[in-house]
Amino acid sequence: MRPSRYLVGIILALAMVTVILLVQNNVPQNALILVWGALFVATAMDFIISPSRRNMNYRFDVLSDGFVGAPQNSTLSIERNHGRLPSAMEVMLGTSKDLSLLSKEPVLTYTGTPVEIELLPHKRGLHSVNKLYVKWSSSLRLFEIISNIEINKEIKVAPDTRPVSNGTVQTQLLPLVDGIKDFNKQGTGSEFHQMREFVPGMEPRSIDWKRSARFNKLLSREVRAERNHQIFICVDNGGQSSQMMGEITKLDYALNASLALCWAGGLGGDQVGFYNFNASPGRFLPPRPGREAFPLVRARCGEMEYETAETNHTWGLSQLTSQLNRRSLIVIFSDFADGMSAELLVENLTHITKQHLVLFIILDDEDVTRIQHPHDLNFDTMSLAVAASELKNERSRAIRELRNLGILVLNVAPSNLTTELISKYMDIKLGEMI
């Protein structure tokens, strides 16, 4: 409890009047004592009749599990044990470092009905809501009563698998898993599927003339896209990937998209492996059928640390290729800080692309674009704009070199990463590029 601004103003005004009257000897001291006594009685009565912490029962409900970058709904309700509740209370939550309120206003107003509060986890791991701070005014508005309540609600934050659980990935793959059952597509593919009697509308080039002559009728040869490819998801979790990009880190964007691709690989009939590296090689998960690999990849993504050391692309990628025994699609989530690291990355990918199909994914940083075109022109903003332009040019140059080497490059905004990656996977499957 602390004096309100209203009470402080009354005390200061009364003190000033008291000093003036005592100096001028225009009023009896007993009258001043009576006025101050009345103020004391008013504050004592206000303290007695005002709602107290003991009259209230606080309840904070939040799910114990959540997804990184996804709002976590929680509910705060305050009930009275006896007496009455204040007409309005200000509420603020004390949370761990990487958990924040989605509302722009950190202080919320409680007016008697349960309050919906959205929490936003910015990183994976174990987060908590530690305390609840509640402030309300006394009945005569002479005091501000502040209550600190221990909550200690924990939230375990994992990579975002909602595109898998809500069917978004499966819906995007409908041209593969539904529109062309069993991956059949007339006129394309390399794996023989079956013979069918030729009917108008079929591709004439699909006619098998030898078998047609043997059976004395036109037979069409149906082929389908080859299945059981090997896909390796390779995630760089070095210092560059730990940087925040919007509400979450580059690494978390990559892990969310990796899980979606792993599930899509299972729907596509492919085997999926997983590998991560930073300053040194990380854990290697051998390829398995996609749905069998998904829980293993999800567990690995959930436990992956945020590193600060610079990535060693040479060591990490060479360790990966030494364990591959067949041509594979290697999907690499990585980045580079400057021109020198970009040259080293290009050099390492040059060796890999001789035996494997490489899809290199780089996130387009919207903050760099914003800094590149400042609204307020001064020395500082212009210096940052020049640095951002140089970084953009180096990035564009590296992307051109990668594409000239036959490497597929996906330069995409973070919000579109999962959708664009699944779309690229479909193009690779239907184009028989592996």
Side-chain angles (χ1 to χ4, degrees):
M1 180 180 293
R2 67 186 182 188
S4 66
R5 288 179 294 179
Y6 181 56
L7 177 58
V8 172
I10 293 176
I11 293 174
L12 291 176
L14 189 56
M16 183 177 62
V17 171
T18 301
V19 170
I20 293 173
L21 293 177
L22 288 175
V23 170
Q24 295 180 355
N25 294 319
N26 290 334
V27 67
Q29 294 185 1
N30 291 337
L32 293 175
I33 294 174
L34 184 62
V35 172
W36 282 100
L39 179 60
F40 175 77
V41 171
T43 56
M45 288 296 298
D46 192 24
F47 177 77
I48 293 172
I49 66 176
S50 296
S52 69
R53 164 71 180 88
R54 293 187 298 273
N55 296 343
M56 304 177 192
N57 184 26
Y58 299 90
R59 182 175 178 180
F60 183 77
D61 296 321
V62 64
L63 294 177
S64 58
D65 298 303
F67 299 120
V68 62
Q72 184 81 355
N73 293 325
S74 61
T75 305
L76 171 66
S77 58
I78 304 176
E79 301 175 352
R80 63 184 180 89
N81 294 329
H82 55 83
R84 61 185 179 83
L85 290 176
S87 58
M89 291 178 278
E90 293 183 351
V91 177
M92 186 171 66
L93 292 178
T95 63
S96 54
K97 178 182 177 183
D98 296 312
L99 185 67
S100 65
L101 268 68
L102 196 59
S103 171
K104 295 181 179 179
E105 297 294 334
V107 179
L108 307 174
T109 302
Y110 186 88
T111 57
T113 57
V115 177
E116 299 290 335
I117 303 175
E118 287 188 317
L119 302 171
L120 185 65
H122 300 284
K123 290 186 178 181
R124 292 166 291 110
L126 192 63
H127 304 291
S128 63
V129 181
N130 304 317
K131 286 189 176 183
L132 175 65
Y133 303 93
V134 184
K135 183 181 75 172
W136 66 92
S137 298
S138 61
S139 298
L140 300 180
R141 303 179 64 85
L142 298 179
F143 296 100
E144 290 181 346
I145 305 171
I146 301 175
S147 181
N148 300 338
I149 300 97
E150 295 286 343
I151 294 181
N152 295 326
K153 294 281 188 176
E154 293 187 339
I155 305 173
K156 186 178 181 181
V157 180
D160 191 357
T161 56
R162 288 178 301 170
V164 173
S165 59
N166 62 20
T168 302
V169 174
Q170 187 167 356
T171 301
Q172 192 174 353
L173 284 173
L174 282 178
L176 289 177
V177 300
D178 188 34
I180 43 177
K181 292 288 187 181
D182 296 325
F183 297 87
N184 301 329
K185 189 174 181 183
Q186 297 180 2
T188 63
S190 59
E191 182 178 300
F192 173 75
H193 179 49
Q194 64 181 1
M195 300 297 299
R196 290 186 58 186
E197 185 173 356
F198 182 83
V199 295
M202 287 186 174
E203 176 64 43
R205 290 177 298 179
S206 66
I207 298 175
D208 190 320
W209 294 104
K210 290 185 178 180
R211 286 183 172 80
S212 298
R214 182 183 303 171
F215 292 97
N216 199 27
K217 61 179 179 180
L218 288 178
L219 295 177
S220 173
R221 181 184 179 89
E222 274 194 4
V223 294
R224 62 182 179 184
E226 185 181 353
R227 304 180 67 176
N228 201 32
H229 292 301
Q230 190 166 276
I231 303 172
F232 263 94
I233 301 172
C234 182
V235 176
D236 168 13
N237 67 317
Q240 281 287 316
S241 64
S242 298
Q243 296 178 359
M244 298 296 296
M245 185 173 282
E247 299 294 349
I248 64 176
T249 65
K250 294 180 181 179
L251 176 60
D252 287 317
Y253 278 116
L255 296 181
N256 294 344
S258 297
L259 290 173
L261 178 61
C262 183
W263 188 259
L267 296 175
D270 293 326
Q271 297 188 17
V272 182
F274 187 84
Y275 174 73
N276 74 284
F277 66 98
N278 39 73
S280 60
R283 186 176 173 185
F284 179 89
L285 297 179
R288 295 177 175 84
R291 293 199 177 185
E292 180 183 335
F294 183 80
L296 300 175
V297 175
R298 180 177 56 187
R300 177 61 187 137
C301 290
E303 67 187 14
M304 194 175 299
E305 299 290 339
Y306 297 94
E307 303 289 343
T308 57
E310 185 178 354
T311 300
N312 189 331
H313 290 97
T314 303
W315 192 7
L317 294 177
S318 61
Q319 185 71 17
L320 170 65
T321 54
S322 67
Q323 302 187 63
L324 300 181
N325 53 13
R326 54 176 284 196
R327 178 174 170 82
S328 308
L329 168 63
I330 302 177
V331 181
I332 301 176
F333 295 88
S334 187
D335 204 345
F336 40 83
D338 48 39
M340 181 174 295
S341 59
E343 291 178 4
L344 288 173
L345 179 61
V346 170
E347 182 179 349
N348 285 282
L349 293 180
T350 302
H351 300 292
I352 299 177
T353 194
K354 295 178 181 178
Q355 298 179 350
H356 307 281
L357 178 65
V358 178
L359 172 59
F360 185 79
I361 299 174
I362 185 169
L363 295 179
D364 189 12
D365 194 339
E366 296 176 355
D367 289 337
V368 175
T369 304
R370 177 178 53 81
I371 294 173
Q372 192 177 2
H373 304 284
H375 294 291
D376 300 327
L377 297 180
N378 54 56
F379 181 78
D380 292 334
T381 58
M382 291 300 294
S383 299
L384 290 174
V386 171
S389 298
E390 291 179 356
L391 179 60
K392 278 278 189 179
N393 292 335
E394 291 176 354
R395 189 180 296 258
S396 300
R397 191 181 307 113
I399 290 174
R400 285 196 301 270
E401 292 182 11
L402 292 174
R403 286 174 173 161
N404 291 336
L405 293 171
I407 296 172
L408 304 177
V409 180
L410 193 60
N411 184 22
V412 62
S415 57
N416 299 328
L417 175 57
T418 299
T419 303
E420 294 290 338
L421 177 59
I422 301 303
S423 178
K424 196 67 175 180
Y425 169 70
M426 290 177 58
D427 293 340
I428 293 171
K429 286 283 292 183
L430 294 175
E432 295 266 299
M433 300 174 66
I434 306 179

